[in-house]
């Protein structure tokens, strides 16, 4: 896309190409944020799957379970509707 934008022949479609560039950057930023969130989730999942931690921190464990269900539901909806991204 950057190559097309750098072309001297882009004049008539510049707005279209810039729109694509903007969407691709947004898509990449979204994927990057999801990956960061998933890394944190994987770390916390191992902690909150421990029965000992659940016993010691019941409120935090319940909150994690709520967020976990929400995260999985969002990712499932995104997967089911490819146009969501």
């Amino acid at each position: 896309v950057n190559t097309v934008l750098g072309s001297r022949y882009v004049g008539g479609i510049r707005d279209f190409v810039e729109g694509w560039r903007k969407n691709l950057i947004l898509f990449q930023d979204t994927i990057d944020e999801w990956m960061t969130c998933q890394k944190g989730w994987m770390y916390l999942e191992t902690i909150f799957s421990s029965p000992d931690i659940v016993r010691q921190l019941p409120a935090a464990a319940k909150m994690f379970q709520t967020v976990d269900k929400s995260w999985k539901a969002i990712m499932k909806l995104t997967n089911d509707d490819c146009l969501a991204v």
Side-chain angles (χ1 to χ4, degrees), residues 47-61:
I47 294 170
F48 285 107
S49 64
S50 166
D52 187 44
I53 297 295
V54 172
R55 227 178 308 110
Q56 291 178 22
L57 302 168

Side-chain angles (χ1 to χ4, degrees), residues 16-57:
F16 178 76
V17 175
E18 285 177 352
W20 264 97
R21 182 177 178 275
K22 179 182 169 188
N23 287 336
L24 289 172
I25 289 170
L26 176 60
F27 179 72
Q28 181 62 50
D29 290 345
T30 301
I31 296 295
D32 289 344
E33 289 298 321
W34 284 354
M35 294 297 290
T36 300
C37 187
Q38 187 173 12
K39 286 177 188 176
W41 172 80
M42 288 171 54
Y43 171 76
L44 291 173
E45 184 183 35
T46 59
I47 294 170
F48 285 107
S49 64
S50 166
D52 187 44
I53 297 295
V54 172
R55 227 178 308 110
Q56 291 178 22
L57 302 168

